[in-house]
Amino acid sequence: MKLKIGVFGAHRGMSMIKMLLAYPEAELVAVCDKHVPSLQKVKERAEQNNMQVALYESFDDFIKHDMDAVVLANYATEHATFAVRCLDLGLHVLSECLPCETMAQAVDLIEAVERSGKVYAYAENCCYMPWAFEMWQKYKEGTLGEVTYAECEYLHDCTHVWPAITYGDPNHWRNHLYPTFYCTHSLGPIITSTGKRPVQVVGFECPRRERGLEEMGIVFGPGIEMVTLDNGAVVKSVHGHLTREDANRWNFQIYCQNGMMESARFPEQKDFLMYTEGKEVCKGTWEKYDPAIEFGREYYLKIADRKAHGGADFFAPYFFIEKILGRPDGQWAIDVYQAVDMGICGILAWRSAVNGNIPVAVPDLRDPAQRDAYRNDHACTTAAVAGDQLMPCTTFPHEPIPMEKFKEVEQMYLDSLK
């Protein structure tokens, strides 16, 4: 019997929707989005595949649909609250980034997974890009030994697409973003590859792009986390609006006792590079190649959208489904504990940054005894969630963004639709 899966969020969820419409071991049965034109696109795509999919504008109606699992591709600050609702109704959950907005939500999410007994998987696509997944597998083999240091950067200057992703809405979550929040694109591949747990973080904010502030009303700058892992290794994580072309670039390096691995920094390089030290110190061998796709290869070659994060959007739902079905490939699904580990590094790094870059301990929320300290910890930059624990979006001063600026951005968005 096919798994019946629904998707909440038709825009970000479109790559998952395309996959599920074509995947033979699952059935896309429902999609929910408040944006009606996005639902229309789903309807058209389903008809092209000779399928019918129930469409909902209300989550309360959507959640009543007969289904086994839900993909959460809604706003990045709202995943945990909807995940808890789904889990409490007995549904498996695949959550897009980020896992949670607050420490209280992190506790709620973990406990919802534990009491439900359902599968929760985290759809951090950077962990499934071919080079990152190769790092994960190679590290697991153990040849290189334990990690000693790592660098990870996910640079994405969104200034040029800001109208398309915020619509000029002053209340859009991206307009209340802080520098270290969206950290799992950079930290994710290091945490999953090494299997190590973060134990301490120090956060920093770099100066923002003044052009971004002036033209789009973007108040925050790039974020940096310096993370200590549970074996003493240190990770430097960099992400956000840094100026370069092309605007979306990444690089990952993992240094180990017996060698190192890295992803290509420039397009002309091979995607994956690995150095293994030989019998003599500082002398060894390099391997440089584009990783082959082995897991789910038959389906990947037929249905993966290679434009969707390099094909990585195929693997998050694939491994999620495999885990639900109890198959070996399900081992590569990112569970709730690793998801929360990497996500709360950004939350706690921001506390470090606004308090003079002080070190902040990262709790192990696998341990129930450590959870009580965070049950009422709602500190974030969303006023409706934080209440009297509201935090600033930037450590740098700025004048309030006038409504006229948001209207200008809204007009840019509307003009792009013509």
Side-chain angles (χ1 to χ4, degrees):
M1 185 176 67
K2 290 185 177 182
L3 289 173
K4 294 175 286 187
I5 300 179
V7 175
F8 180 36
H11 181 69
R12 173 63 191 99
M14 184 55 74
S15 60
M16 288 81 158
I17 288 167
K18 292 176 182 177
M19 184 270 196
L20 293 169
L21 285 170
Y23 191 62
E25 300 199 46
E27 179 184 4
L28 179 69
V29 295
V31 175
C32 179
D33 201 298
K34 64 184 181 181
H35 189 240
V36 175
S38 294
L39 291 179
Q40 182 60 32
K41 290 181 180 179
V42 174
K43 181 175 183 292
E44 293 168 0
R45 176 70 62 169
E47 289 174 349
Q48 291 170 9
N49 286 267
N50 298 313
M51 298 175 67
Q52 287 189 334
V53 176
L55 304 175
Y56 297 93
E57 296 176 50
S58 164
F59 183 84
D60 290 339
D61 294 332
F62 164 75
I63 202 67
K64 296 173 185 175
H65 196 95
D66 179 23
M67 50 192 172
D68 304 304
V70 172
V71 176
L72 295 176
N74 55 317
Y75 282 174
T77 52
E78 299 177 358
H79 292 145
T81 52
F82 285 98
V84 170
R85 289 184 62 182
C86 292
L87 291 160
D88 284 346
L89 288 172
L91 297 169
H92 304 289
V93 170
L94 175 65
S95 175
E96 253 292 318
C97 310
L98 271 282
C100 52
E101 184 180 17
T102 69
M103 295 300 293
Q105 288 178 11
V107 173
D108 288 346
L109 176 61
I110 286 174
E111 293 186 340
V113 174
E114 291 176 343
R115 66 175 173 262
S116 73
K118 296 299 177 179
V119 170
Y120 172 97
Y122 187 49
E124 176 44 79
N125 51 67
C126 282
C127 298
Y128 298 117
M129 290 182 180
W131 47 265
F133 198 44
E134 189 77 358
M135 285 183 173
W136 193 345
Q137 295 172 76
K138 288 295 185 182
Y139 189 91
K140 193 172 183 180
E141 290 175 5
T143 303
L144 298 182
E146 286 226 331
V147 60
T148 58
Y149 174 73
E151 293 188 5
C152 46
E153 61 182 46
Y154 185 91
L155 309 181
H156 195 178
D157 185 354
C158 292
T159 307
H160 68 302
V161 295
W162 203 251
I165 61 177
T166 67
Y167 327 120
D169 178 2
N171 295 313
H172 193 281
W173 67 271
R174 290 183 186 272
N175 281 319
H176 298 280
L177 198 59
Y178 57 88
T180 62
F181 177 68
Y182 221 99
C183 64
T184 67
H185 277 354
S186 53
L187 276 174
I190 307 302
I191 299 297
T192 51
S193 293
T194 65
K196 301 302 180 186
R197 190 182 70 80
V199 296
Q200 179 180 279
V201 63
V202 180
F204 301 86
E205 178 183 16
C206 299
R208 62 178 163 255
R209 287 194 68 188
E210 290 304 317
R211 185 172 182 180
L213 176 65
E214 294 165 4
E215 297 183 12
M216 301 293 172
I218 304 172
V219 302
F220 59 91
I224 298 176
E225 301 89 34
M226 296 297 297
V227 180
T228 304
L229 303 179
D230 57 5
N231 72 334
V234 175
V235 182
K236 182 181 76 174
S237 166
V238 184
H239 51 93
H241 298 186
L242 288 169
T243 310
R244 65 174 297 153
E245 185 182 4
D246 59 26
N248 189 193
R249 207 68 230 143
W250 51 80
N251 181 250
F252 293 77
Q253 302 175 41
I254 301 178
Y255 291 84
C256 304
Q257 293 286 347
N258 305 318
M260 63 89 66
M261 298 178 287
E262 64 180 299
S263 64
R265 182 176 289 273
F266 302 108
E268 62 272 14
Q269 293 178 292
K270 295 294 185 182
D271 277 350
F272 176 79
L273 302 89
M274 185 170 81
Y275 169 75
T276 306
E277 191 173 57
K279 292 183 179 180
E280 292 187 57
V281 175
C282 298
K283 290 186 178 181
T285 58
W286 278 98
E287 298 175 67
K288 302 176 183 180
Y289 57 90
D290 295 326
I293 302 299
E294 301 296 342
F295 293 87
R297 181 178 177 82
E298 175 187 357
Y299 299 132
Y300 177 85
L301 294 176
K302 289 180 180 178
I303 66 178
D305 181 357
R306 312 297 173 81
K307 295 180 181 179
H309 298 100
D313 283 356
F314 166 84
F315 287 106
Y318 169 73
F319 290 129
F320 173 58
I321 292 167
E322 291 290 288
K323 188 167 185 177
I324 294 171
L325 296 175
R327 295 175 178 170
D329 282 2
Q331 68 178 299
W332 301 104
I334 301 168
D335 68 17
V336 69
Y337 302 110
Q338 270 201 333
V340 167
D341 277 347
M342 61 180 83
I344 64 176
C345 281
I347 295 172
L348 298 174
W350 189 231
R351 300 182 186 189
S352 166
V354 299
N355 288 288
N357 316 112
I358 60 171
V360 176
V362 180
D364 183 0
L365 295 180
R366 295 166 183 77
D367 178 7
Q370 296 189 40
R371 297 174 188 171
D372 286 346
Y374 300 97
R375 289 188 188 280
N376 297 307
D377 188 336
H378 307 292
C380 64
T381 56
T382 303
V385 174
D388 60 6
Q389 299 177 42
L390 186 65
M391 298 185 72
C393 299
T394 179
T395 59
F396 292 98
H398 68 92
E399 295 296 323
I401 306 300
M403 284 304 300
E404 290 75 13
K405 177 56 63 180
F406 292 112
K407 292 185 181 299
E408 288 177 17
V409 176
E410 180 186 20
Q411 191 59 52
M412 293 178 200
Y413 168 64
L414 295 174
D415 291 343
S416 71
L417 300 177
K418 295 177 181 178

